[in-house]
Amino acid sequence: MRRAFCRVFRPSARRRVLASCLSLSLAAPAPAMALECKGTIYLTFDTGSQSQAELIAATLRKHHIKATFFMANEKTVHGDYSLDPAWAPLWKELVRDGHAFGTHTFDHVYWQRDLPAGQFSVQPQFGADAGRRLTWSAAQYCDEMNRVADRFRQLTGAPIDRFWRAPGGKASPALLAAGAKCGYAHAAWSPAGFSGDELPSEKWPNALLLRRALDSLKDGDIFLAHMGIWSRHDAWAPAVLEPLIEGLERKGFCFATLREHPDFKSYATRGAP
């Protein structure tokens, strides 16, 4: 509703003028209905250095867009870890905003290869065993994914959705089957959905990454970016995220969380906002 501006100069005229203002307001035309979506893009963000976390949250809020966050307990630019209690306000804010959440394994554990008897060679990036090559059973890997769910509930009081993403996207059919057995659906990203925010900015400048995404993304694609990358000199999000959103909207795309994706909505713990 358009707001009519009226100034009441004399108390005796207040009732008459306010009535006139109300009439103008009610007569104002309603905002135009949004155009029908020509396709849907699923924005997803993995934890990282967290250098862009607040910017990403604010940008999504500004554009009324919901995304999906995959969380691991990664070292941040503040010297702590992304699932430490100090980050609870951010995660609570994102819960209130209606985003979806999945597990990225607690210690950002990379799958290395399959082993006999249903075991896996893995290597955590963080935690007490960081950098060590370990042998895990399927149950141990499942426990690792559930550690994120447990910590997130402690921090926010909310459950995560039953989505997971293997660090680096590295997985085998056996590992995907292990995840499915403990109730998680693996959510990779589309070929056109790789943001490139991990690539060296000297060879892959932000303008090039933006143009590539706008030219290549299509209906149903899952897009991957991070909440901060240590290795990239010219950070991706400040330069690319908002222009990407605006460019995709001009092309008629809408956005949704994986809770609304046909392959994943049955794994959502809450209804789509």
Side-chain angles (χ1 to χ4, degrees):
M1 180 181 296
R2 187 173 61 193
R3 189 183 297 257
F5 176 75
C6 299
R7 179 180 295 172
V8 180
F9 292 95
R10 298 188 306 275
S12 62
R14 182 173 300 159
R15 181 175 300 175
R16 183 174 67 255
V17 175
L18 289 178
S20 176
C21 287
L22 179 60
S23 176
L24 285 171
S25 296
L26 293 175
M33 295 298 291
L35 296 177
E36 184 178 355
C37 294
K38 296 180 180 178
T40 301
I41 303 296
Y42 300 90
L43 297 181
T44 70
F45 296 90
D46 293 355
T47 45
S49 70
Q50 300 297 92
S51 62
Q52 309 303 310
E54 287 84 0
L55 172 67
I56 290 169
T59 302
L60 295 175
R61 189 178 307 111
K62 174 182 176 181
H63 290 270
H64 308 286
I65 287 172
K66 306 296 186 288
T68 304
F69 292 84
F70 288 92
M71 301 170 294
N73 193 38
E74 302 191 53
K75 188 174 182 179
T76 83
V77 290
H78 301 305
D80 58 0
Y81 291 83
S82 51
L83 293 177
D84 280 350
W87 288 93
L90 173 74
W91 298 121
K92 288 179 180 178
E93 179 182 272
L94 292 172
V95 168
R96 288 193 297 269
D97 286 347
H99 299 289
F101 304 90
T103 176
H104 199 33
T105 72
F106 194 86
D107 285 331
H108 205 251
V109 180
Y110 286 98
W111 170 86
Q112 301 288 322
R113 60 191 178 93
D114 293 342
L115 297 174
Q119 295 186 310
F120 307 101
S121 175
V122 300
Q123 187 173 39
Q125 186 178 2
F126 302 102
D129 291 316
R132 294 179 57 195
R133 191 72 62 89
L134 305 175
T135 297
W136 276 5
S137 66
Q140 285 174 298
Y141 201 93
C142 183
D143 289 343
E144 178 69 12
M145 291 194 290
N146 284 332
R147 290 177 69 195
V148 175
D150 293 341
R151 177 64 64 84
F152 191 71
R153 189 181 287 275
Q154 290 171 4
L155 294 178
T156 68
I160 67 168
D161 299 284
R162 305 299 288 183
F163 317 138
W164 76 284
R165 176 172 288 163
K170 298 179 179 180
S172 67
L175 187 66
L176 298 182
K181 188 175 181 180
C182 59
Y184 289 97
H186 187 261
W189 54 92
S190 305
F194 176 59
S195 67
D197 64 355
E198 298 173 274
L199 300 174
S201 52
E202 295 77 13
K203 295 182 179 180
W204 295 90
N206 286 320
L208 176 60
L209 295 180
L210 174 61
R211 184 167 66 251
R212 185 180 69 168
L214 288 174
D215 290 345
S216 303
L217 286 169
K218 60 186 183 301
D219 179 31
D221 277 348
I222 298 175
F223 184 83
L224 161 72
H226 293 80
M227 301 177 79
I229 289 292
W230 290 96
S231 58
R232 187 171 176 85
H233 179 263
D234 187 11
W236 176 88
V240 178
L241 180 57
E242 190 160 35
L244 176 64
I245 289 170
E246 293 172 344
L248 290 172
E249 288 178 332
R250 284 194 295 270
K251 296 179 75 170
F253 286 106
C254 297
F255 301 89
T257 74
L258 293 183
R259 292 174 186 160
E260 299 160 273
H261 192 290
D263 294 341
F264 301 105
K265 60 184 179 181
S266 63
Y267 292 87
T269 56
R270 290 170 291 175

